[in-house]
Amino acid sequence: MPAKPMNDDPEGSAPSADENGAPVNDGGTPVKGGGTPTDAGGQADGASGQAADAGGAPAEGTGASAEGTRASTDGTSGATAEVADTATPARGSTTPASGSTTPDEAVTPDEAVTPLIRGITVLRELTEADGTLSLSGLERATRLARSTVDRITATLARMGYVRVGGRDVHLSPRLMELGNAYLAALRLPALLAARADALADELDESVSLAVADRDGIRFIHQATRRRAMSLSFRIGDLLPAERTAPGPLFATEWTATDWQRWRERRAADPRDLSFTAVPPRKYGADARDDEMFVSRTQEAAANGWALDDQLIEPGLVAVSVPVRSPHAVGDHRPPACVASVVSHTSRHTAHSLRTTLLPRLQAAVTQMEQELDRTPPPPPGTPPTNLALWTGASKQRLGRDFIESLARGLTVITAFGEGRPELTLTEVAQATGLARATARRALITYEHLDLVTPTGDRTFALTPRVLSLGFPPLSRTTLPDIAHPHLSDLTSRIHESTSLAVLSESGEEIQYTARVATGRVMSVNITLGTRLPAYATALGRVLLADRTIGQAPLPHDLRPLTPHTITDKERLTHTLTSVRSQGYALVDEELEEGLRSIAVPIRDRSGRVVAALNTAMHASRHSLRECVTDLLPELTATATRIESDLHTAARFTHVPLT
C-alpha cells in the first residue's frame, strides 16, 4: 500500500442528492421518507459504543449508546443521524444486493456502511466496463451524485486502486490485492495451478479451475492456449451454472433453497444479461432449458463428470471433473473446485472430449486431490497489524475528498489471506487496527453484499464474489500496461523521454515495449517494437547483467557502433559485473554519438530481472554526474512502483512482458 493517507467523513451521514437536491439512496433512487443512512467509518469508533463480541452480538448488560453523530455535507442540509452499536440489523431501505444474481431485493441493514456500498458499486461498474469508464459514465451507471462519484474515485485513487486520467477512470493493478486476499485464503490456485498448466501443455487445450458462486461458477485459474480461435474467459469471470460443464457438478450439492434461488434468477433474467462474460441468449430460457439442467445435474451425480456441448456459444465444448475437498462431510467429499478442459469443435466434438481427453483429465484430477490431501494447512503465522492506520494521514492530507470509511472498509478485505482463511471480528480488528465497532460494521456490509460469509464459531471468510472487484479485466494486464502510467509520471517529472524494454530470446537485442516521449525540439526518436543491440545500450546491460555469464554467453558480434563502444568481451564482462553490483547502467555515446542513457532493472516476484527502465537524452543536457545524482533516484523510485504493481498482478496470474 502507499503511505496510506482521521477526521469525520461526512459522506455517510445522509444519502447523496440528485441534481435537484433530493436525497437518493445507495443506488441513486429517491429515498422514501427522507431516511438518513449513516456511516461508521469515521466516527469515534468504540467511544461510548456498545461492546460487541467476536460474532457481532452485543455484550450482555450494556446499553445501546450511539457510536457517534455526524452531519452530512453531500447533497443534504444539516441532516444528522445516530446509529446504535447493535448487532441485529434493523430493517432499513431496500436496495438490490450489489452483484447478486437473484431477483430479490435485499434489505440493507441499518448498520451497513453506505460509502462502502457505494464504493463497491463503483468498482463493480468499472469491472463491467472492462476496467475503464468516464466520470460521467460512472455517474450514469451508479446513479450516484457526481460529487459522490468524484469523492469515491479520489479515495480509490489515493489507495492506488484506480487511476484518473482526464475524464476517465481506470482500474489499477493494485486493486488485485483484494482478489489476491481471497485466492490466497482459498489456497487452491497455489496448490493446483501448476498441475492445471501441465495438463494444458500435455493436451494442448485450455484448462480452467472454477469454484461455485451461488448459482453460478467463477474461474480461479486459467491456462489458456494462444490461438487465433482462443478463449477469452478471465480469472474472476462469473458464468451461469446451467450453461457450463462445471455447473451441474456444483448443482449436485444444491439444497432446495439453492434450486429455488436459481429458478427465481432464471425467471428474472431469462437471457442471462447479468452475466457479462457470456453472450446473452438470443431468446429467453424456457421450461425445457430448466428441465435439461436438472437432467444434466442428475447425470453428473451418476457419472462424476459433466459436458458442455456448445451451451455458451456455438463451437465451444468442455468436459469437467470435480476436485474433491480433503474435508469430508460424513462419508461425502464435496467439490473444492472443478477442473475443465475446454476446446473448439474444429478440434474436438463433445463425444471426442469424453472419449479421448476425459481419462487424462480424471488422472490429473486424482493428482490434484492427492495434492490437497497431503498438504497440511499453513500455519497461521504472524498476522498483519494496523493495515488501516494510513487512512488518518490521507484524510488529513485530502480532507473532504477522502472518504475514510470507504478506505477502512476495503482494508478489511486484505486482513484475510494465506494462513488466515477465516477470521473472527477480534482478529479483523487487530489486523486492521480498527475499532471493533468499525470492523464489525464493515463485515455486516460485506455480508449484505455477499462478499463475506459467516463460517461458524464466530468466524468470517471471503466469498468468490470478491473477484468481481476488478479482477477479470486486470487479470489480462501486461507489463507495458502496468508500466505506462508510471512512465508518464516519470517523464513529466524529469522532462526526458522514458522507455521500458525486454531482452530478445536470443539475448542479442533489446526490444522496446513501452515508451513516453517528452515534448522537445530535439529528442530521442524510438518507436515501440524497435530492436537495438543489447551490449551497447544501458537497457541491454541491465538485462544482460542479471544473466549468469557461464550459462548465458555474451552476444557474439560486438561491433563498434561509435568510437566509444565497448567491443572487448573481457571488458564488457567486467562492466556487467559492476552494473549488477551498483544496480544501474550508464552508457555514454556507445550506441550513437551524443546519446547518453541510464537504466535500472525491473524485477519479478522471484527477484529475476525481466525488464529495464531507462531515460535517454543528448549528452549536453545532463552530465554523467547529474545522471547519477538527479535522474537515477527518479528512475529507481519509478522502478519500485512498477515492481509493486507487477508483484501484485503476478501473484495468481501470468503477466506477459510484451
Side-chain angles (χ1 to χ4, degrees):
M1 276 287 188
K4 299 184 170 180
M6 234 165 176
N7 239 350
D8 287 352
D9 169 28
E11 172 72 11
S13 59
S16 61
D18 63 17
E19 59 189 10
N20 298 316
V24 294
N25 67 11
D26 311 332
T29 55
V31 176
K32 295 180 180 180
T36 56
T38 59
D39 160 34
Q43 296 173 349
D45 299 309
S48 302
Q50 183 178 9
D53 64 15
E60 294 182 3
T62 56
S65 58
E67 268 186 75
T69 305
R70 43 196 310 119
S72 169
T73 59
D74 188 12
T76 59
S77 56
T80 62
E82 291 188 352
V83 176
D85 185 16
T86 57
T88 305
R91 293 192 169 252
S93 60
T94 57
T95 56
S98 181
S100 174
T101 58
T102 67
D104 297 333
E105 285 193 338
V107 177
T108 304
D110 280 346
E111 289 190 284
V113 184
T114 301
L116 183 54
I117 295 176
R118 292 170 173 169
I120 295 295
T121 300
V122 166
L123 288 176
R124 282 180 166 156
E125 291 297 340
L126 283 167
T127 302
E128 295 299 325
D130 208 30
T132 299
L133 201 58
S134 67
L135 287 165
S136 57
L138 272 174
E139 182 183 3
R140 290 190 298 270
T142 61
R143 294 182 297 167
L144 294 172
R146 177 58 180 266
S147 61
T148 303
V149 171
D150 289 344
R151 294 184 61 213
I152 289 172
T153 53
T155 302
L156 295 174
R158 177 69 181 112
M159 299 181 74
Y161 287 171
V162 305
R163 176 172 46 86
V164 182
R167 298 180 179 180
D168 290 335
V169 182
H170 311 269
L171 295 179
S172 295
R174 186 175 296 277
L175 178 62
M176 295 177 74
E177 72 179 10
L178 302 182
N180 286 347
Y182 164 73
L183 293 173
L186 185 66
R187 294 186 70 211
L188 295 177
L191 293 176
L192 307 182
R195 295 194 180 277
D197 294 345
L199 180 63
D201 291 338
E202 176 192 346
L203 303 181
D204 196 25
E205 298 290 352
S206 295
V207 174
S208 65
L209 300 176
V211 294
D213 188 347
R214 299 187 73 170
D215 62 348
I217 71 157
R218 200 176 290 271
F219 293 112
I220 59 171
H221 182 72
Q222 288 281 358
T224 305
R225 315 314 290 167
R226 297 298 179 185
R227 297 193 180 98
M229 184 71 69
S230 61
L231 301 179
S232 61
F233 293 135
R234 306 160 300 184
I235 297 175
D237 273 336
L238 179 68
L239 277 63
E242 66 275 8
R243 292 178 65 180
T244 68
L249 295 166
F250 288 124
T252 61
E253 307 292 322
W254 285 3
T255 64
T257 301
D258 296 327
W259 281 103
Q260 179 63 26
R261 182 190 297 120
W262 172 73
R263 290 188 174 92
E264 290 172 351
R265 187 264 294 168
R266 294 270 285 164
D269 184 19
R271 295 188 57 206
D272 296 333
L273 297 177
S274 59
F275 295 89
T276 56
V278 297
R281 294 177 182 270
K282 191 173 183 179
Y283 306 102
D286 56 26
R288 288 174 301 177
D289 296 313
D290 292 356
E291 293 171 1
M292 183 176 70
F293 182 57
V294 173
S295 176
R296 291 176 62 220
T297 300
Q298 293 170 345
E299 292 175 0
N303 297 333
W305 51 266
L307 282 173
D308 165 13
D309 190 359
Q310 307 180 75
L311 293 172
I312 292 178
E313 66 179 20
L316 186 66
V317 290
V319 60
S320 297
V321 174
V323 181
R324 299 288 176 182
S325 169
H327 308 295
V329 180
D331 295 331
H332 175 62
R333 294 176 60 180
C337 66
V338 168
S340 305
V341 176
V342 189
S343 188
H344 192 269
T345 51
S346 60
R347 295 175 58 82
H348 287 280
T349 64
H351 175 75
S352 68
L353 274 182
R354 185 177 69 249
T355 56
T356 62
L357 300 189
L358 176 58
R360 294 151 84 178
L361 172 60
Q362 289 171 323
V365 165
T366 298
Q367 294 177 332
M368 291 180 183
E369 291 176 341
Q370 292 171 348
E371 187 76 33
L372 294 182
D373 290 341
R374 65 171 171 257
T375 305
T382 304
T385 57
N386 297 328
L387 290 171
L389 285 187
W390 63 274
T391 60
S394 287
K395 185 69 177 180
Q396 293 169 2
R397 174 180 172 182
L398 299 181
R400 183 183 180 279
D401 286 338
F402 185 79
I403 307 174
E404 188 173 14
S405 56
L406 170 58
R408 287 172 157 184
L410 289 172
T411 305
V412 164
I413 294 178
T414 64
F416 296 82
E418 185 177 4
R420 305 187 307 280
E422 298 179 359
L423 298 176
T424 65
L425 169 60
T426 297
E427 289 170 334
V428 171
Q430 289 173 344
T432 57
L434 298 175
R436 285 168 54 88
T438 304
R440 183 175 60 82
R441 293 188 66 185
L443 290 171
I444 288 173
T445 306
Y446 285 139
E447 186 176 354
H448 165 64
L449 298 176
D450 199 28
L451 295 168
V452 159
T453 184
T455 54
D457 197 24
R458 297 183 176 182
T459 58
F460 301 86
L462 300 178
T463 73
R465 197 145 297 193
V466 172
L467 294 176
S468 69
L469 305 180
F471 215 89
L474 291 172
S475 69
R476 290 290 178 88
T477 194
T478 66
L479 181 55
D481 294 335
I482 292 172
H484 194 273
H486 297 289
L487 295 184
S488 297
D489 291 343
L490 175 60
T491 297
S492 67
R493 291 197 305 272
I494 66 176
H495 308 292
E496 299 288 355
S497 299
T498 58
S499 304
L500 189 81
V502 297
L503 200 61
S504 66
E505 292 184 6
S506 67
E508 299 277 339
E509 298 174 310
I510 60 166
Q511 180 179 359
Y512 286 83
T513 59
R515 180 168 171 79
V516 174
T518 188
R520 287 184 180 272
V521 175
M522 183 175 64
S523 62
V524 180
N525 184 20
I526 295 174
T527 59
L528 293 184
T530 297
R531 291 179 177 243
L532 294 174
Y535 70 92
T537 63
L539 289 163
R541 288 184 183 171
V542 164
L543 293 163
L544 290 173
D546 189 62
R547 292 154 51 115
T548 303
I549 302 300
Q551 297 178 353
L554 293 174
H556 297 291
D557 187 15
L558 303 182
R559 294 178 292 111
L561 305 177
T562 74
H564 308 283
T565 307
I566 296 177
T567 57
D568 179 73
K569 285 194 174 184
E570 184 176 346
R571 184 182 171 196
L572 181 58
T573 299
H574 177 74
T575 299
L576 294 179
T577 301
S578 298
V579 169
R580 188 161 51 246
S581 64
Q582 66 191 16
Y584 70 91
L586 179 57
V587 172
D588 186 26
E589 302 188 77
E590 295 189 45
L591 177 68
E592 183 178 313
E593 291 193 72
L595 182 64
R596 186 169 288 162
S597 176
I598 184 170
V600 295
I602 303 293
R603 300 180 183 273
D604 64 11
R605 290 178 60 87
S606 69
R608 181 174 61 97
V609 176
V610 295
L613 164 70
N614 91 323
T615 183
M617 76 296 296
H618 192 272
S620 63
R621 288 213 291 267
H622 293 278
S623 67
L624 293 174
R625 179 180 178 83
E626 289 172 339
C627 286
V628 175
T629 59
D630 299 343
L631 300 180
L632 179 59
E634 295 282 1
L635 286 169
T636 302
T638 300
T640 299
R641 296 186 186 103
I642 295 173
E643 288 175 346
S644 177
D645 284 353
L646 173 61
H647 298 172
T648 299
R651 186 172 181 186
F652 293 105
T653 66
H654 171 66
V655 179
L657 301 182
T658 60

